Amino acid sequence: MKKILTSILTLSMFFALTAAPKSTKNTVIEPISVKISADNLAENQATMQNQVFNSDGSVTYDAMMKYGGGGISFYVDGKSGVKLSSYKKIRVEFDYSTDKRWANENVTPKFKIVTYGPGTTYFNGGVDQGYFDADSRSGSMVYEMDISKSSGKVVKIAVPLNAWKWVENGGSEEDLVTMTIKSITLLP
């Protein structure tokens, strides 16, 4: 009898252990602050010039509207990248000012956020996540863009000028914007 009870108890414990729900490890996705520095630089665009990396972790450069809009891209999380679907928003913070040669004082600068997957270059394979306009010709912006429907892997990111149809909308290809990119953050 003792042997039977021991067997029943052992079987009961076995079934209880195997039927118990397996623990799931909750993975916490942390925000990623893109490092803005010369050693994390991915690519410069042809109409971007006078690049200076500042001691406060920002970068200042002059960008022209020519050839799609000047800009600079940085690696997001090293050269391996991250899954874009793990993030809901991209927040950018930057200062901007227009040059005295600005062609039309009634037109304000336009910007965009571009992400790049593996094997892409500044003009080949980037995904425009969205566009946004400035309220004035010079100022500071903190802008959050919803990317919750985006997917794929992001390796590089940029906040260039948006020069699509710029000349048709009253601007000039020679219009110049001095930009200081202060931060780029992917938010879960």
Side-chain angles (χ1 to χ4, degrees):
M1 180 77 170
K2 188 174 180 184
K3 211 175 204 186
I4 294 174
L5 283 175
T6 304
S7 296
I8 291 173
L9 186 57
T10 303
L11 281 173
S12 297
M13 287 175 42
F14 171 76
F15 286 121
L17 288 173
T18 57
K22 296 184 180 183
S23 67
T24 57
K25 198 175 193 180
N26 288 336
T27 305
V28 176
I29 305 294
E30 297 290 332
I32 292 179
S33 293
V34 175
K35 184 179 177 188
I36 299 173
S37 65
D39 64 334
N40 196 44
L41 174 67
E43 292 178 276
N44 289 336
Q45 191 271 341
T47 61
M48 192 280 311
Q49 54 198 350
N50 302 324
Q51 166 187 296
V52 175
F53 286 95
N54 304 308
S55 61
D56 64 357
S58 66
V59 63
T60 302
Y61 57 89
D62 294 332
M64 289 173 49
M65 288 293 185
K66 189 181 281 188
Y67 308 127
I72 185 171
S73 64
F74 294 95
Y75 291 107
V76 171
D77 190 30
K79 294 181 181 180
S80 59
V82 296
K83 287 193 313 184
L84 204 52
S85 60
S86 298
Y87 298 89
K88 304 275 186 252
K89 292 182 179 183
I90 296 174
R91 180 176 54 223
V92 295
E93 181 180 358
F94 61 96
D95 296 335
Y96 66 95
S97 62
T98 58
D99 184 78
K100 62 183 170 226
R101 297 175 295 164
W102 197 254
N104 185 340
E105 64 183 50
N106 297 319
V107 177
T108 60
K110 300 175 181 312
F111 305 98
K112 61 184 175 178
I113 296 175
V114 184
T115 57
Y116 303 88
T120 59
T121 63
Y122 197 91
F123 283 121
N124 185 11
V127 175
D128 290 350
Q129 293 295 331
Y131 309 94
F132 54 102
D133 297 347
D135 293 331
S136 61
R137 288 181 42 199
S138 298
S140 296
M141 289 193 81
V142 176
Y143 188 82
E144 286 191 4
M145 182 171 288
D146 182 354
I147 58 164
S148 59
K149 293 185 170 84
S150 299
S151 62
K153 193 172 206 177
V154 59
V155 177
K156 303 175 281 188
I157 192 166
V159 186
L161 297 174
N162 174 24
W164 187 69
K165 295 195 172 191
W166 181 251
V167 175
E168 291 175 35
N169 292 329
S172 163
E173 283 193 339
E174 302 304 315
D175 285 341
L176 185 126
V177 180
T178 299
M179 296 182 67
T180 298
I181 306 293
K182 295 179 173 181
S183 69
I184 304 171
T185 309
L186 277 72
L187 302 169

